[in-house]
Structure formats: C-alpha cells, structure tokens
Amino acid sequence: MFTAGRVRVLALALADAVCLCVAWMLAVFGYRLLGGCYDASIYLHFWPIIVVFGAVNAFMGLYHGYVLYPSAPLSPVEEFGRLFLSSLLVHVGVIAFLALRYQTTDGYSRVVISLSGFLVALLAQSFRNWTRLALARLNVAQIPV
C-alpha cells in the first residue's frame, strides 16, 4: 500500500515529467514558428530523457529532501538550485550524447535543446508548487508533522 510520502514522491516525479514534456514541446514548436527548418517528429526519439531527468532528480535529493533527514523538505531556494543544476546536466548530457553517438548534432537543433533546458529550469519549480497545492487542496499525501 502506498504511504503519503510515496504518493507525494510519485506526484512530484509526474510533475517533473509533465514539465519536461511541456518545455520540449514549447521549444520545438516555438523554434519552428520562428523559422526553424527541423522536423518536429525527430524529437520524439528523446523520450528516454524523462527517465534520465527523474533519475538525476532522485540522485540530487529532489524527491526525498536531505540525505541525513530524508523527510525534511528543501527550502525553495535550495530546490530551485538543484532543479536548475539537474536540468542543465541532463540537457548538456543530451548534446554530449548526440555529439559522441553521431559525431555531429546537425540533425538536431542545439537551440531547441538549450531552450528546453532553460524552460525546464525555470518552470519545474512552478509545476512542483502547483502539484503540492493540488495535493493540499485534495487533502492527499499530506505528511503529518
């Protein structure tokens, strides 16, 4: 059976995944509207980035708080800093993977990848706050103090 803490972790992970997808869609379609000549469907091959982003966030303690006090929440400033670093690491990793795997990034727009990285870094905190607010309003996954 799921405890309140596990439901909260799953909800935050889902919020991160939705934020990542929204940021990528905004970056891809925004770049196309501005005259980019890249096929939007090639970015569908980047779906594993959702799993990688979740794993990096878990490694950085964004779902469980501090290492010594796992149930203690992070301050908003600390959480934003970790989210920004996580987004930066994942998106730089995507560019590095493309460069190493295909010896070029010509088939993909580096502008789209960079823009989506900054969008995720800026929007993830809002998505997480909206998720926490929704959980509080529904009185779900509230951890008694």
Side-chain angles (χ1 to χ4, degrees):
M1 184 155 160
F2 284 105
T3 62
R6 289 191 178 122
V7 171
R8 189 176 197 80
V9 167
L10 287 174
L12 289 175
L14 182 63
D16 290 342
V18 169
C19 176
L20 187 69
C21 292
V22 167
W24 273 88
M25 286 187 331
L26 287 174
V28 168
F29 292 118
Y31 188 66
R32 279 197 58 114
L33 287 175
L34 294 175
C37 58
Y38 289 94
D39 182 21
S41 66
I42 64 171
Y43 293 99
L44 292 176
H45 300 287
F46 285 14
W47 67 265
I49 195 173
I50 297 170
V51 176
V52 172
F53 187 59
V56 170
N57 284 350
F59 178 74
M60 296 186 82
L62 283 163
Y63 299 125
H64 297 292
Y66 294 100
V67 174
L68 296 177
Y69 302 103
S71 62
L74 297 171
S75 71
V77 174
E78 178 71 21
E79 185 177 33
F80 178 76
R82 289 184 187 192
L83 281 169
F84 191 86
L85 182 61
S86 172
S87 174
L88 185 69
L89 287 173
V90 168
H91 287 84
V92 166
V94 167
I95 293 173
F97 172 77
L98 290 173
L100 291 173
R101 170 90 157 106
Y102 301 111
Q103 301 298 318
T104 183
T105 58
D106 289 340
Y108 301 94
S109 171
R110 292 174 298 278
V111 172
V112 168
I113 297 170
S114 301
L115 180 61
S116 68
F118 284 113
L119 284 174
V120 169
L122 296 176
L123 295 176
Q125 184 73 38
S126 298
F127 274 75
R128 291 169 74 92
N129 289 340
W130 291 331
T131 301
R132 286 188 193 102
L133 182 64
L135 291 174
R137 293 232 173 139
L138 294 172
N139 201 17
V140 176
Q142 300 302 301
I143 301 170
V145 182

